[in-house]
Amino acid sequence: MLYIKFSSIVLNMGFLKLLSAMGQIIFPNPCAGCGIQLGDAPFPVCYNCMKNLPETNNMGHLYNETYKIFEGRLNLQFASSYLFYNRQSLAQQLIHALKYKNRKDIGLFLGKQMGIGIRKHKMLESVDALVPLPLHDKKLNKRGYNQSTVLAEGITSIINKPILNNAIIRKVYNTTQTTKSRIGRWLNVEHIFDIKNSKELENKHLLIIDDVVTTGATIEAFGQHLEKLPNTKISVFSCAVAVSI
């Protein structure tokens, strides 16, 4: 009788493993970095990819790569980025999946990592609210979400700060920045934002959230609106900063 029960348990365990394997074939859960199956893992990337994320580790340094981009252009309290970004890098893979493959889970994961960095280094304790860089309604409707807002949602799940989504809008649907020069990028974004609710922004330290900082032209245009508000301080935190390697 004991042998029959034991055999039944073994068979049931084998059946469950078979179901699990079939489930991964039917509903695959690949690592967003290397593609291996994650099974029931709680993160969208495997441990090895997580370990190899190209972190800047510059949260503890005021004068870092991201801050230098905006030096003389915006009066920032602080600027930083979580990852280094270059072509065909792991950071590019993850952010591309977030923006173009409906992988909001990647954005929430990256945002949480950003939030952990803020909490760990305490560089932004005085921040009152997060302000994601807005998308134009046309692009927002096409994509279904703003990737910067998703990052902000991940961040605030760690540091518990409000997200201000509607106080400033992107009023112009401009062309892509990817192939433009620094001057071309600035001309492309110079007049694309408009403040709709200044009272919601005034007298606060605002943290601008974006996915990738390249030349900084879009954030500069955005930040110049915020700088004009009474007693308003601004900082920048992007998921990644572009570098040449």
Side-chain angles (χ1 to χ4, degrees):
M1 182 66 70
L2 182 61
Y3 173 76
I4 294 173
K5 287 184 177 179
F6 180 75
S7 298
S8 177
I9 292 171
V10 171
L11 286 170
N12 286 335
M13 288 176 63
F15 181 66
L16 290 174
K17 287 181 179 179
L18 178 61
L19 283 178
S20 177
M22 291 176 63
Q24 290 189 25
I25 294 172
I26 299 171
F27 304 106
N29 182 26
C31 168
C34 65
I36 69 166
Q37 285 297 324
L38 296 175
D40 297 326
F43 305 116
V45 295
C46 67
Y47 172 76
N48 190 54
C49 286
M50 198 180 303
K51 185 176 64 175
N52 290 315
L53 283 170
E55 297 183 9
T56 65
N57 295 312
N58 66 15
M59 283 290 292
H61 306 281
L62 179 61
Y63 196 65
N64 58 59
E65 297 84 358
T66 307
Y67 186 89
K68 292 175 186 177
I69 291 173
F70 298 102
E71 189 174 21
R73 299 163 67 184
L74 288 174
N75 182 23
L76 297 178
Q77 303 299 303
F78 178 79
S80 185
S81 301
Y82 170 46
L83 301 173
F84 287 120
Y85 180 100
N86 63 294
R87 292 182 182 277
Q88 299 180 337
S89 66
L90 179 55
Q92 185 194 40
Q93 282 181 255
L94 297 180
I95 293 173
H96 185 272
L98 164 63
K99 292 174 69 172
Y100 304 114
K101 296 185 178 179
N102 200 34
R103 292 296 302 271
K104 290 177 67 175
D105 58 322
I106 293 175
L108 291 171
F109 164 73
L110 292 172
K112 288 178 181 179
Q113 300 305 112
M114 294 164 72
I116 290 169
I118 293 174
R119 189 174 63 182
K120 178 180 177 182
H121 292 286
K122 301 182 180 180
M123 296 293 287
L124 294 169
E125 286 184 335
S126 65
V127 163
D128 296 300
L130 311 181
V131 186
L133 203 70
L135 290 180
H136 187 271
D137 285 347
K138 185 176 179 181
K139 186 171 287 187
L140 182 62
N141 291 335
K142 181 179 180 180
R143 185 169 295 165
Y145 56 88
N146 179 353
Q147 69 274 6
S148 296
T149 298
V150 176
L151 291 169
E153 289 169 353
I155 294 170
T156 200
S157 71
I158 302 297
I159 66 170
N160 193 29
K161 300 288 183 179
I163 300 172
L164 306 181
N165 266 319
N166 303 311
I168 185 166
I169 64 167
R170 198 169 190 141
K171 62 181 181 178
V172 177
Y173 184 74
N174 57 324
T175 55
T176 180
Q177 299 276 76
T178 306
T179 60
K180 298 184 185 300
S181 65
R182 180 168 179 166
I183 294 174
R185 284 173 183 251
W186 169 248
L187 293 174
N188 196 39
V189 298
E190 189 176 4
H191 303 292
I192 67 172
F193 298 109
D194 192 23
I195 292 178
K196 286 298 183 183
N197 187 351
S198 60
K199 295 297 181 185
E200 194 174 11
L201 301 166
E202 293 172 2
N203 304 304
K204 290 183 175 69
H205 181 183
L206 303 172
L207 182 60
I208 300 171
I209 304 298
D210 196 13
D211 53 356
V212 182
V213 172
T214 306
T215 66
T218 308
I219 288 180
E220 181 182 359
F222 185 70
Q224 285 181 352
H225 285 278
L226 300 179
E227 283 185 329
K228 297 173 184 177
L229 298 171
N231 195 31
T232 299
K233 300 176 182 178
I234 58 174
S235 292
V236 171
F237 195 20
S238 69
C239 182
V241 59
V243 293
S244 298
I245 299 178

